């Protein structure tokens, strides 16, 4: 999420992002940057710690950028790289070249957060691997049903609801509170996200993914200072 990003206001809208079959794989831990080589992929990195960057299924050959803005340490065995910002600027750009000859442009924003993992993934590859779930209408229907129940604070007969007020560590400029869960074949979480900063906050759903997440729904993608929004998260059930 990016305070004062300069993006035009888009108002409140419903945003639903479904991550397909591969989301449960450990390869997707951290920030998933999914796109094509010509796209500009946005991510947030730690200002003070080395951040791991990898290209899904490929090896990194080189990371290009402005000299003096960052330092890179290569892991030649795995093909990943560690990048640590050295610039005082709040954001900078790099190009990541992989062993398939592709160049990925990353727009990196620095923040006082722990070290991050960035996973670059070709969108066409993700679409191909996700065909199994796309063809399974009952699976998508179940996800939508749990999302709707969370949004309405309903309790489906085959699920157990629990209300809570649990603060989840996030960023200094935001507060994330878990307010409700639904437990069944799928597991649903409802959060309240509050903008604690003095600037407009633009939310990127990708930052809310973690291993096991199937879907994220954010009620409002832009928050003025002090405003809040509902965030709904669907995960694999405990037996999934």
């Amino acid at each position: 999420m990016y305070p004062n990003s300069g993006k035009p206001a888009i108002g409140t809208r419903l945003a639903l992002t479904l991550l397909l079959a591969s989301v449960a794989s450990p390869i997707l831990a951290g920030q998933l940057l999914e796109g094509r080589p010509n796209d500009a992929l946005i991510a947030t990195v730690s200002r003070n710690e080395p951040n791991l960057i990898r290209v899904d299924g490929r090896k990194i050959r080189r990371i290009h950028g402005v000299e003096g803005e960052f330092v890179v340490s290569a892991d030649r065995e795995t093909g990943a790289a560690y990048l640590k910002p050295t610039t005082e600027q709040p954001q900078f750009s790099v190009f990541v070249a992989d062993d398939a000859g592709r160049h990925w442009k990353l727009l990196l924003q620095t923040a006082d957060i722990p070290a991050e993992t960035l996973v670059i993934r070709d969108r066409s590859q993700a679409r191909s691997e996700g065909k199994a779930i796309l063809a399974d209408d009952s699976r998508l229907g179940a996800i939508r049903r749990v999302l709707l129940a969370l949004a309405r604070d309903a309790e489906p007969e085959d699920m157990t609801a629990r209300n809570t007020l649990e603060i989840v560590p996030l960023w200094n400029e935001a507060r994330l509170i878990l307010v409700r869960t639904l437990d069944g074949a799928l597991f649903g979480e409802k959060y309240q996200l509050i903008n604690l900063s003095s600037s407009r906050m633009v939310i990127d759903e990708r930052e809310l993914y973690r291993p096991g997440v199937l879907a994220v729904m954010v009620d409002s993608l832009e928050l003025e200072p002090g405003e809040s929004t509902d965030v709904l998260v669907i995960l694999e059930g405990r037996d999934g």
Side-chain angles (χ1 to χ4, degrees):
M1 46 193 66
Y2 314 113
N4 197 21
S5 68
K7 293 184 179 179
I10 57 176
T12 301
R13 68 183 180 91
L14 195 62
L16 173 61
T17 303
L18 290 180
L19 194 60
L20 301 177
S22 55
V23 293
S25 170
I27 190 72
L28 297 181
Q31 296 180 50
L32 173 64
L33 310 181
E34 188 178 288
R36 300 180 178 87
N38 291 332
D39 296 341
L41 307 177
I42 300 174
T44 301
V45 296
S46 171
R47 179 181 290 114
N48 303 309
E49 300 181 24
N51 302 275
L52 176 64
I53 302 178
R54 57 190 179 193
V55 178
D56 190 16
R58 310 303 308 188
K59 291 187 176 182
I60 293 175
R61 292 305 186 197
R62 187 180 298 272
I63 297 182
H64 306 266
V66 176
E67 186 175 353
E69 289 191 339
F70 61 92
V71 294
V72 170
S73 175
D75 186 334
R76 301 191 181 280
E77 182 176 347
T78 65
Y82 293 88
L83 179 147
K84 183 179 184 297
T86 55
T87 179
E88 297 298 323
Q89 298 298 321
Q91 60 185 24
F92 61 98
S93 301
V94 300
F95 285 91
V96 178
D98 65 27
D99 59 359
R102 299 172 301 184
H103 289 76
W104 305 90
K105 182 179 181 180
L106 307 186
L107 303 179
L108 302 179
Q109 304 199 21
T110 59
D112 293 322
I113 58 175
E116 273 287 1
T117 296
L118 310 183
V119 181
I120 303 171
R121 196 165 200 220
D122 190 324
R123 177 170 297 175
S124 60
Q125 177 186 350
R127 183 175 295 126
S128 174
E129 292 179 358
K131 286 181 179 178
I133 284 187
L134 283 175
D136 187 352
D137 291 339
S138 62
R139 174 73 158 176
L140 291 178
I143 292 173
R144 294 190 186 100
R145 185 172 70 93
V146 179
L147 283 170
L148 186 60
L150 283 172
R152 295 177 174 176
D153 290 332
E155 184 175 356
E157 293 183 357
D158 57 345
M159 304 191 78
T160 301
R162 182 174 71 92
N163 293 323
T164 181
L165 285 175
E166 178 183 340
I167 297 178
V168 179
L170 194 62
W171 295 274
N172 291 334
E173 68 271 13
R175 176 172 294 161
L176 188 66
I177 306 173
L178 178 64
V179 297
R180 186 175 175 85
T181 64
L182 287 175
D183 195 357
L186 297 176
F187 191 78
E189 298 174 334
K190 183 175 184 177
Y191 295 89
Q192 183 182 47
L193 177 63
I194 306 170
N195 180 8
L196 301 180
S197 74
S198 58
S199 304
R200 176 185 297 169
M201 176 176 291
V202 179
I203 302 169
D204 186 340
E205 301 100 319
R206 293 174 300 181
E207 294 183 317
L208 301 170
Y209 278 103
R210 63 186 190 271
V213 169
L214 300 175
V216 172
M217 187 169 74
V218 181
D219 190 41
S220 178
L221 292 179
E222 292 199 9
L223 299 177
E224 297 296 335
E227 287 186 342
S228 64
T229 187
D230 288 339
V231 176
L232 312 180
V233 179
I234 307 300
L235 303 99
E236 292 285 0
R238 302 187 188 280
D239 298 328

